[in-house]
Amino acid sequence: KAMIAMHNNDINRTVGIEADEDVPLIRLTREFAATPAQLIRAHTDPELFVQWVGPDRMDSRIIEWDARDGGCWHYVSTRDGVDYEFRGCFHEITDNRIVQTFAFVGMPEHVALETVRFEDLGGGTARLVAQSLVDSFEARDSWLATGMETGVEQGYRKLDLLLESGGR
């Protein structure tokens, strides 16, 4: 299950996080030294996913994982003895896009509809563009207030390392 390692120092590794002014949506953008296929695999293979998701010093374990159209997922991340549960369903997985629901069990009233696209930039690089749509501006703002940017940035740095190592 090894991934092919790619090296490209000319990519933008800064995570762009923006809140849409017109709809309750959070948009993330980030470039990776990887192909869209590698990024799809890192997001859908549970053995790879738990190696990079979330902030540093947090361990994740899969409870349920059925990466197919209509399949559900559920994982728990633990830090300092505290569990954080996340769950959702994959609505569509293609060769360059994932559509899924996402819920933090601690905030079950704030389910997001996420669309994650992987744009091929050529030369073994790709841009991830993720949109999370929630049901209200208050819900969106409460997600942003959780400090999610730290977990996203640290998780994507771990994903960079996983990709560089060949994804074992």
Side-chain angles (χ1 to χ4, degrees):
K1 285 192 168 184
M3 299 173 95
I4 298 170
M6 300 271 186
H7 301 283
N8 185 336
N9 295 323
D10 297 328
I11 63 172
N12 182 355
R13 295 185 191 264
T14 303
V15 180
I17 301 176
E18 63 181 282
D20 193 291
E21 292 183 18
D22 299 321
V23 293
L25 180 107
I26 300 169
R27 185 174 295 107
L28 305 174
T29 56
R30 170 72 149 67
E31 293 178 9
F32 291 90
T35 64
Q38 289 173 302
L39 291 172
I40 286 281
R41 184 160 168 250
H43 282 77
T44 58
D45 181 324
E47 292 177 21
L48 297 174
F49 183 80
V50 296
Q51 292 180 56
W52 66 266
V53 70
D56 296 343
R57 299 178 317 280
M58 186 168 273
D59 295 313
S60 297
R61 68 186 184 283
I62 300 296
I63 306 299
E64 176 183 5
W65 199 270
D66 186 8
R68 64 176 176 83
D69 292 2
C72 292
W73 57 266
H74 179 190
Y75 69 92
V76 177
S77 296
T78 304
R79 180 173 49 203
D80 301 327
V82 179
D83 286 344
Y84 302 90
E85 283 189 65
F86 304 89
R87 60 178 48 229
C89 292
F90 294 107
H91 292 264
E92 180 184 53
I93 301 172
T94 69
D95 59 353
N96 66 350
R97 185 173 88 146
I98 299 170
V99 178
Q100 65 183 2
T101 54
F102 177 93
F104 169 49
V105 173
M107 298 170 67
E109 67 280 8
H110 300 308
V111 176
L113 176 61
E114 294 189 336
T115 301
V116 185
R117 288 188 339 259
F118 305 98
E119 302 170 354
D120 191 342
L121 301 177
T125 63
R127 178 181 299 116
L128 174 150
V129 178
Q131 295 186 151
S132 296
L133 177 66
V134 294
D135 63 350
S136 70
F137 288 99
E138 293 78 20
R140 182 204 62 198
D141 294 345
S142 70
W143 280 45
L144 290 168
T146 65
M148 64 172 271
E149 68 277 356
T150 300
V152 170
E153 290 171 358
Q154 291 176 358
Y156 287 163
R157 275 199 309 270
K158 290 187 288 186
L159 179 52
D160 284 332
L161 295 173
L162 181 66
L163 292 162
E164 288 171 13
S165 73
R168 292 174 192 52

